[in-house]
Amino acid sequence: DTGVSQDPRHKITKRGQNVTFRCDPISEHNRLYWYRQTLGQGPEFLTYFQNEAQLEKSRLLSDRFSAERPKGSFSTLEIQRTEQGDSAMYLCASSFGQQETQYFGPGTRLLVL
Amino acid sequence: GNSVTQMEGPVTLSEEAFLTINCTYTATGYPSLFWYVQYPGEGLQLLLKATKADDKGSNKGFEATYRKETTSFHLEKGSVQVSDSAVYFCALRTNSGGSNYKLTFGKGTLLTVNP
């Protein structure tokens, strides 16, 4: 069990650029979640995958955000035309079942200049 | 909707002091309750959990009891160590209906333990 990994750990970009983050869940976990954490706040739910199907998207996830999990393994989160308000820590978590413990990765910290 | 309110920090204690971090919640139905901890430079880790009323979760000397009557899940430790310095998050997950997988977090409480 190598844990949930995320890449990159840090990303600095200019406003208007596109960025993509990757999450590799624990290998046998079929559920994958994305959360966003801003300074001084707890994580907020963004989206959820069961295998390759995206089952829910939070209204926090504007049209500029898209997430995929093409083969039910790793997932990517893309932000198009980044804005300064997108600056946050993006967390990925995975679990084996819907009611099971969610294990979190170290996060990707995004700074939009 | 669901919400979690936890004690605002920061909390600063001396080593071996008693710790309480308050957490109350609002939720439909009977949620599962969690405490996660985030050590400096690391990801969120599950500290303990309780899935039904009167359950007590415990781990690493930390305890929290699911109190349905007061909708609370306060975190306690009898004697803190410097290594307990971290941010602590209270969270809930509903167990029925739609969206019974997403976690709802409090804002977090920063704990600093001095030698």
Side-chain angles (χ1 to χ4, degrees):
Chain A
D1 180 358
T2 58
V4 178
S5 61
Q6 293 187 244
D7 183 70
R9 294 290 304 273
H10 303 274
K11 178 71 176 179
I12 299 174
T13 191
K14 293 181 179 179
R15 189 175 51 189
Q17 298 295 305
N18 300 342
V19 295
T20 300
F21 310 142
R22 176 179 170 125
C23 170
D24 286 89
I26 294 171
S27 59
E28 67 269 22
H29 286 184
N30 58 349
R31 267 80 172 180
L32 188 146
Y33 316 80
W34 285 97
Y35 293 82
R36 182 171 67 188
Q37 184 179 14
T38 53
L39 200 61
Q41 303 294 318
E44 295 174 292
F45 171 80
L46 292 179
T47 190
Y48 158 62
F49 288 86
Q50 181 176 320
N51 299 311
E52 66 275 9
Q54 188 175 21
L55 298 187
E56 184 174 347
K57 291 173 60 174
S58 163
R59 58 181 177 275
L60 292 176
L61 222 60
S62 75
D63 291 345
R64 297 184 297 105
F65 288 72
S66 62
E68 294 182 342
R69 195 182 182 199
K71 297 182 180 179
S73 57
F74 73 92
S75 175
T76 57
L77 177 67
E78 180 182 15
I79 309 174
Q80 297 183 326
R81 306 180 303 282
T82 53
E83 300 174 355
Q84 289 185 326
D86 297 331
S87 297
M89 176 78 88
Y90 290 84
L91 299 170
C92 177
S94 69
S95 69
F96 179 66
Q98 189 166 297
Q99 293 293 306
E100 296 302 314
T101 297
Q102 294 182 25
Y103 293 87
F104 282 80
T108 295
R109 185 172 295 281
L110 172 67
L111 177 61
V112 182
L113 301 177
Chain B
N2 299 331
S3 66
V4 174
T5 302
Q6 65 180 99
M7 177 175 156
E8 290 198 17
V11 175
T12 303
L13 296 173
S14 298
E15 205 163 26
E16 298 184 5
F18 183 84
L19 169 71
T20 299
I21 301 178
N22 291 337
C23 172
T24 58
Y25 67 89
T26 301
T28 54
Y30 303 98
S32 293
L33 301 174
F34 306 83
W35 277 100
Y36 277 83
V37 59
Q38 190 171 34
Y39 297 105
E42 299 184 16
L44 284 166
Q45 301 175 26
L46 179 67
L47 181 59
L48 53 84
K49 67 179 182 181
T51 57
K52 61 183 187 294
D54 300 325
D55 268 2
K56 177 186 283 187
S58 61
N59 186 25
K60 299 181 181 179
F62 291 88
E63 294 184 338
T65 300
Y66 189 140
R67 299 288 188 200
K68 180 183 168 188
E69 63 277 11
T70 54
T71 61
S72 64
F73 192 55
H74 304 321
L75 182 68
E76 296 182 336
K77 187 174 185 181
S79 176
V80 294
Q81 305 300 312
V82 172
S83 58
D84 294 326
S85 297
V87 182
Y88 292 81
F89 292 92
C90 185
L92 69 81
R93 185 189 64 214
T94 54
N95 293 321
S96 61
S99 300
N100 58 340
Y101 43 77
K102 68 174 84 170
L103 293 168
T104 299
F105 287 87
K107 292 185 176 182
T109 302
L110 172 63
L111 170 66
T112 302
V113 180
N114 295 319

